[in-house]
Amino acid sequence: MAILPIVKYPNKRLKVKSQVVREFDANLHKLLDDMYETMIATNGIGLAAIQVDMPICALIITLPREEDGQQYEEDKLELINPTLLKTQGTTTYQEGCLSVPGFYEEIERFESISVGYQDRFGVEKVLQADGLLAIAVQHEMDHLNGVLFVDRLPILRRKKFEKELKRIQKEQKAKP
């Protein structure tokens, strides 16, 4: 297994719309395994394939357990070709993103969702999710459509984010 480089904002590759997965083979399985290792190594709870420069409709999520805050591989969800089937309510949550490190913003999402998807073997399944899981699934599904959480910010907060990002990039360039 390998730790893959994560594509960072404002890289235009993050805006690419991902393609439907048609081959459920060893290459897909290796990618999913590498994505999991990458996500864990970078302290993430979710990762879309596009974030590791693979524009396919695949994402993984592993939420920490409430009792100990740890992530376990047996809790890993792999959603291939996910589709929202049903949504209910709205909620806001302070989101972050491995592709936009160091930034966290309140984002409005559906409170509960039903998602159709395929597993790594192509078997069709349905996931009912609410709370943090629903938020994480929606966040990662946005990536598959070339949408970042900062794209969902109201215009004034978006401008503030862009200004802060420019300041941080300038500071990083100034470091020897």
Side-chain angles (χ1 to χ4, degrees):
M1 292 197 227
I3 307 287
L4 305 170
I6 292 178
V7 179
K8 302 279 197 294
Y9 181 85
N11 192 308
K12 298 281 186 247
R13 289 178 294 180
L14 292 168
K15 293 298 191 178
V16 171
K17 191 165 173 25
S18 296
Q19 299 301 306
V20 171
V21 173
R22 300 196 192 289
E23 298 287 323
F24 295 83
D25 57 10
N27 290 331
L28 175 65
H29 298 183
K30 180 175 179 357
L31 173 65
L32 291 168
D33 293 342
D34 290 348
M35 285 172 60
Y36 176 77
E37 291 300 316
T38 302
M39 180 189 72
I40 294 300
T42 54
N43 299 311
I45 63 168
L47 188 67
I50 191 69
Q51 291 179 273
V52 292
D53 206 20
M54 289 296 296
I56 63 168
C57 290
L59 64 90
I60 60 166
I61 293 172
T62 308
L63 297 184
R65 290 190 184 169
E66 283 185 29
E67 62 268 15
D68 63 5
Q70 298 297 308
Q71 291 169 288
Y72 294 92
E73 192 162 6
E74 62 263 26
D75 297 337
K76 173 178 61 179
L77 286 170
E78 299 173 333
L79 281 64
I80 316 299
N81 302 325
T83 308
L84 270 182
L85 303 174
K86 198 168 122 192
T87 62
Q88 191 174 345
T90 58
T91 187
T92 57
Y93 191 83
Q94 189 172 49
E95 295 184 24
C97 181
L98 295 174
S99 290
V100 191
F103 286 94
Y104 300 90
E105 286 286 347
E106 291 284 325
I107 303 295
E108 189 173 291
R109 300 275 185 194
F110 295 113
E111 193 170 18
S112 64
I113 59 173
S114 177
V115 179
Y117 69 99
Q118 291 168 283
D119 68 12
R120 66 169 46 211
F121 304 105
V123 177
E124 291 190 12
K125 299 189 172 195
V126 174
L127 171 71
Q128 309 290 336
D130 57 20
L132 181 56
L133 181 56
I135 289 161
V137 169
Q138 291 170 80
H139 176 108
E140 300 308 330
M141 283 180 70
D142 269 359
H143 276 297
L144 304 181
N145 293 308
V147 176
L148 294 163
F149 81 105
V150 294
D151 295 333
R152 294 191 171 276
L153 292 173
I155 191 72
L156 291 175
R157 288 215 336 258
R158 177 73 187 260
K159 285 187 186 309
K160 183 180 169 197
F161 159 77
E162 295 288 350
K163 189 175 174 183
E164 180 72 5
L165 181 68
K166 280 188 177 81
R167 184 188 62 76
I168 288 170
Q169 289 172 334
K170 195 173 177 182
E171 281 177 9
Q172 288 173 344
K173 282 181 185 167
K175 286 182 184 175

